[in-house]
Amino acid sequence: MPEIFPLLKKQDIDNMVSSLAQRISDDYRGRKLVLVGILKGSFVFLSDLMRRLTIPVQVDFIGASSYGSSTSTSGNIHLTKKLEIDVKDKDVLIVEDIVDTGLTLSHIIEHIKSFTPKTVKICTLLDKPERREAKINIDYSCHVVVQKGFLVGYGLDYAEDYRNLPEICRLKF
Ligand code: 5GP
């Protein structure tokens, strides 16, 4: 079994999500937003974020998979759930758990753009720039991860375990 080390406590996460929600609410004041969460890892973050937004929102999810039980992306991304809301001419905010290589997100951005939304912006809980391969413009990020390692908790899994941890933790194999 891998060892677990806390990285971000529940209170730290709450504070980061609240201040991000404030920024997004200010930026989209007077508009309506479609939040598109990327399954599965973003669902806890999205659920906390949307309840702190003070603008009207709709919520949908896209399922994307490439990892299996490994800890690095294959770049071979396939969609496991399609969008159900028609996002044509709407303001879309993609909500991701972690941007690592950026390959998953760049694939999803192109997919969403094919529905001709008015705007598409990116919001991520964690930004891991070290292994970035695709050029991604991240509009909103809660926390930039500088140390190497695989993170779990607050919706993030390792082989489907640990999603229910309230804190974000680092796994040591
Ligand atoms: P990318 O395509 O940017 O390399 O990978 C993005 C996806 O890989 C994220 O949405 C997340 O699901 C997964 N991922 C990347 N790094 C980590 C990590 O440290 N922990 C977990 N649990 N998933 C990760």
Side-chain angles (χ1 to χ4, degrees), residues 38-42 64 66-67 70-75 77 96-106 108 124 126 128 131-134 136 145 148-153 155-159 161 163 169-171:
I38 315 232
L39 294 172
K40 297 178 195 173
S42 72
S66 89
Y67 263 31
S70 147
T71 58
S72 64
T73 196
S74 64
I77 290 112
E96 176 62 299
D97 55 355
I98 301 183
V99 184
D100 185 15
T101 63
L103 294 172
T104 308
L105 202 48
S106 62
I108 286 171
T124 187
L126 301 171
K128 285 168 86 176
R131 298 200 294 188
R132 193 69 34 85
E133 288 179 39
I136 302 270
V145 182
K148 284 183 188 170
F150 196 78
L151 305 174
V152 294
L156 309 173
D157 76 310
Y158 174 62
D161 289 327
R163 288 195 202 275
C169 303
R170 190 181 304 282
L171 279 194

Side-chain angles (χ1 to χ4, degrees), residues 7-51:
L7 174 71
L8 293 167
K9 295 200 167 63
K10 190 175 178 311
Q11 191 59 54
D12 300 327
I13 300 169
D14 281 352
N15 294 343
M16 292 186 315
V17 175
S18 293
S19 71
L20 198 70
Q22 180 71 54
R23 267 183 64 203
I24 295 169
S25 300
D26 289 345
D27 290 353
Y28 286 90
R29 184 78 49 221
R31 288 150 76 187
K32 183 158 127 186
L33 197 50
V34 182
L35 300 177
V36 176
I38 315 232
L39 294 172
K40 297 178 195 173
S42 72
F43 79 99
V44 177
F45 171 45
L46 186 144
S47 127
D48 280 347
L49 180 73
M50 66 179 245
R51 285 176 292 169

Side-chain angles (χ1 to χ4, degrees), residues 26-154:
D26 289 345
D27 290 353
Y28 286 90
R29 184 78 49 221
R31 288 150 76 187
K32 183 158 127 186
L33 197 50
V34 182
L35 300 177
V36 176
I38 315 232
L39 294 172
K40 297 178 195 173
S42 72
F43 79 99
V44 177
F45 171 45
L46 186 144
S47 127
D48 280 347
L49 180 73
M50 66 179 245
R51 285 176 292 169
R52 290 170 168 89
L53 292 174
T54 56
I55 50 166
V57 291
Q58 297 180 331
V59 178
D60 204 348
F61 291 94
I62 277 189
S65 181
S66 89
Y67 263 31
S69 60
S70 147
T71 58
S72 64
T73 196
S74 64
N76 185 13
I77 290 112
H78 64 278
L79 296 185
T80 55
K81 187 206 163 291
K82 292 183 179 167
L83 269 187
E84 287 164 55
I85 292 178
D86 180 5
V87 297
K88 184 171 170 54
D89 298 330
K90 295 188 179 161
D91 290 310
V92 172
L93 184 62
I94 300 176
V95 181
E96 176 62 299
D97 55 355
I98 301 183
V99 184
D100 185 15
T101 63
L103 294 172
T104 308
L105 202 48
S106 62
H107 185 86
I108 286 171
I109 292 168
E110 287 317 305
H111 178 70
I112 290 180
K113 281 187 173 168
S114 73
F115 299 107
T116 61
K118 189 162 131 200
T119 62
V120 181
K121 287 195 175 183
I122 309 299
C123 171
T124 187
L125 173 67
L126 301 171
D127 177 7
K128 285 168 86 176
E130 194 210 348
R131 298 200 294 188
R132 193 69 34 85
E133 288 179 39
K135 192 174 178 304
I136 302 270
N137 183 32
I138 298 174
D139 301 282
Y140 304 100
S141 151
C142 277
H143 182 77
V144 179
V145 182
V146 285
Q147 262 182 289
K148 284 183 188 170
F150 196 78
L151 305 174
V152 294
Y154 195 67

